[in-house]
Amino acid sequence: MNRIGYSILVTLLSPLLLLYLLLRARKSPEYRLRWSERFGLHKVRATDMLLHSVSMGETLAALPLIRRLLATHPELTITITTSSPTGSAEVAKAFAGELAAGRVQHLYLPFDLPCCIGRFVRQVQPQVCVIMETELWPNVIHYAAEQGARIILANGRLSAKSFAQYQKWPSLSRPMLAKLDCLAVQTQAEADRFIELGVAPDKVLVCGSLKFDLPLDPQLQPGSQVMRSDWHKADAPVWVAGSVHPGEFAAVITAHKALLDHFPQALLIMVPRHPEQFASAAQVLADSGLTVVRRSEGMAVTRETQVLLGDTMGELLQWYAAADFAFVGGTLIPNGGHNPLEAAALGLPVIMGPNHRDFLEITGMLQQAGNLCVVKDAAALALRVAELASNEPARAAAGEGGIAVLERNRGALTRQYTLVESLLNQV
């Protein structure tokens, strides 16, 4: 199937996109809004650059790159697109001033329907198109190239599963990949996969992951530790279960109950991955019999609090900075996992389940450095939580190992900024 066949198919199936939005809106009301953007009906203005980052994780990785481009090119205007409400919220928060001044324009990326995405790209008229990580859509790339934009895949990833899917449809994937001017990928494994798919080797550069260049506010950790003292938890174990999903809530609660048997003042900060999971997490915690405070309700954490439910957005780093160690979710279920580097960057030992295929190289490095422990199930999670809570020297050593991994791998931001700037200079 080539792009024309793909376009006909997605157009015929477009009524399912309405069903998709309605189903997502049942759990996350934000999906009821801004449909004109998703179908390319919203009026947009032309900008120099189009940058797409699908959700919150990709957006957070892209923020330092965008900030550097805006700082070093005062004349530059950028359209930033996302696909999820969480990614949209991050853009709105990070670039409030630039949005008001007109230097940044933010919208949802339209669905990859030819009539929708073609209209959108013709309005934006980008000179450079930056696509973050894995968001390769045939019509997005076709119309951007037709518009004359130079196209770069930044912070590129290509899992073995995605590689196999591309191999199944060479008449669709090869022409799409051929339109990319540059691929800045995270690892050699990804470079090899793209080259095997037919990308010219001189277009592929291994630049590392932008996530290693995570910028941290120097006041973050001191501020969070003051907050921890205000909770009367300075001398009690505090741990975070970050980006957890339904299917993991019970395992996390079981591990914390076991910890409370030995440390009655211990605090768990449980942070669901998606806003639509907040209510179900609150119900599971209410049924557990634990003493729970919901962040969204503004109630104070006290000496008696056993669980803080982080049911707000954008505060995960603050919780990590207040903790002794962390479990990173999406890994005790077949999800693919989430980024462990935020916790490691703050000196925390990290625990993950076995399903972390989206971060195999990162998790391998953290394991080798003694920072990351992979647990196979709820029982193993409880044992590791108890071990870390009772062994401060082990926590310190694991934390130092994680920080060392980040220090050794910094530099992706400079390398990828240089590539994007070179494309800007060519237009």
Side-chain angles (χ1 to χ4, degrees):
M1 180 172 61
N2 59 18
R3 190 190 64 83
I4 300 299
Y6 160 84
S7 296
I8 293 170
L9 179 61
V10 295
T11 301
L12 291 173
L13 295 176
S14 59
L16 295 179
L17 296 174
L18 296 171
L19 180 61
Y20 163 80
L21 291 173
L22 290 170
L23 289 173
R24 293 301 301 265
R26 293 175 64 182
K27 293 184 177 180
S28 180
E30 291 88 349
Y31 280 93
R32 299 189 187 117
L33 308 175
R34 300 164 58 186
W35 283 19
S36 64
E37 295 176 25
R38 294 191 184 276
F39 288 95
L41 300 174
H42 194 82
K43 181 67 176 176
V44 299
R45 66 180 185 275
T47 59
D48 303 316
M49 179 180 292
L50 170 63
L51 185 146
H52 179 60
S53 58
V54 57
S55 190
M56 183 170 64
E58 294 84 357
T59 302
L60 288 171
L63 293 183
L65 177 62
I66 299 169
R67 288 191 179 108
R68 184 175 290 190
L69 287 165
L70 289 169
T72 55
H73 294 272
E75 76 293 348
L76 185 68
T77 56
I78 303 179
T79 296
I80 304 173
T81 59
T82 62
S83 297
S84 75
T86 54
S88 177
E90 288 295 334
V91 173
K93 181 174 69 174
F95 299 108
E98 290 83 356
L99 286 162
R103 292 198 66 197
V104 170
Q105 172 177 237
H106 170 58
L107 309 102
Y108 287 135
L109 183 73
F111 291 120
D112 202 41
L113 300 165
C115 58
C116 300
I117 201 68
R119 183 189 307 115
F120 172 77
V121 173
R122 284 191 293 271
Q123 287 182 333
V124 177
Q125 300 177 29
Q127 299 174 30
V128 173
C129 179
V130 181
I131 300 170
M132 297 299 298
E133 298 205 8
T134 60
E135 281 293 290
L136 296 172
W137 292 100
N139 282 320
V140 171
I141 292 172
H142 169 78
Y143 287 108
E146 187 176 71
Q147 190 68 35
R150 307 303 299 271
I151 308 171
I152 178 171
L153 177 67
N155 218 39
R157 291 194 294 122
L158 184 64
S159 67
K161 182 178 178 181
S162 296
F163 170 70
Q165 292 297 318
Y166 282 130
Q167 280 189 312
K168 287 181 181 178
W169 306 101
S171 60
L172 178 64
S173 63
R174 281 180 176 266
M176 176 183 71
L177 295 173
K179 291 182 171 70
L180 299 177
D181 293 285
C182 180
L183 293 83
V185 300
Q186 296 185 21
T187 70
Q188 187 61 50
E190 271 118 3
D192 293 341
R193 288 171 188 149
F194 277 116
I195 291 169
E196 190 169 345
L197 288 171
V199 178
D202 61 350
K203 288 186 176 183
V204 185
L205 295 96
V206 179
C207 293
S209 172
L210 289 171
K211 293 175 181 178
F212 284 109
D213 290 277
L214 176 71
L216 293 176
D217 183 342
Q219 298 304 312
L220 176 64
Q221 213 144 18
S224 290
Q225 291 300 314
V226 169
M227 180 175 61
R228 176 172 170 166
S229 295
D230 292 341
W231 296 342
H232 304 285
K233 300 292 184 181
D235 298 320
V238 176
W239 67 293
V240 174
S243 299
V244 290
H245 291 250
E248 298 177 311
F249 297 163
V252 169
I253 291 168
T254 298
H256 191 56
K257 284 184 172 180
L259 181 63
L260 289 168
D261 290 339
H262 300 282
F263 298 93
Q265 301 301 315
L267 177 69
L268 162 66
I269 306 174
M270 192 165 95
V271 187
R273 176 65 178 180
H274 298 295
E276 56 263 35
Q277 299 161 359
F278 291 162
S280 60
Q283 186 59 56
V284 171
L285 286 168
D287 295 341
S288 72
L290 296 171
T291 304
V292 181
V293 166
R294 294 186 65 167
R295 172 68 167 175
S296 62
E297 295 177 350
M299 296 176 61
V301 176
T302 68
R303 196 186 310 273
E304 288 70 38
T305 304
Q306 296 170 317
V307 182
L308 169 61
L309 175 60
D311 56 346
T312 53
M313 295 302 296
E315 295 191 297
L316 183 57
L317 276 178
Q318 175 178 292
W319 305 137
Y320 282 149
D324 297 306
F325 53 92
F327 167 75
V328 177
T331 56
L332 286 174
I333 58 171
N335 173 270
H338 300 294
N339 181 19
L341 289 176
E342 293 173 326
L346 287 161
L348 300 190
V350 179
I351 312 168
M352 296 179 79
N355 300 300
H356 49 85
R357 66 176 183 273
D358 290 344
F359 297 90
L360 286 176
E361 185 172 43
I362 289 172
T363 53
M365 285 188 273
L366 292 176
Q367 277 186 285
Q368 189 173 13
N371 171 265
L372 173 65
C373 177
V374 176
V375 298
K376 64 179 181 178
D377 54 26
L381 173 62
L383 287 174
R384 182 59 177 167
V385 165
E387 179 184 359
L388 288 171
S390 59
N391 192 334
E392 185 174 354
R395 292 201 306 270
E400 290 170 3
I403 290 173
V405 168
L406 272 96
E407 291 299 327
R408 286 196 300 270
N409 289 278
R410 292 190 190 278
L413 175 58
T414 297
R415 289 188 286 271
Q416 299 197 41
Y417 165 79
T418 301
L419 291 172
V420 175
E421 187 178 46
S422 71
L423 294 182
L424 279 172
N425 292 335
Q426 293 173 27
V427 296

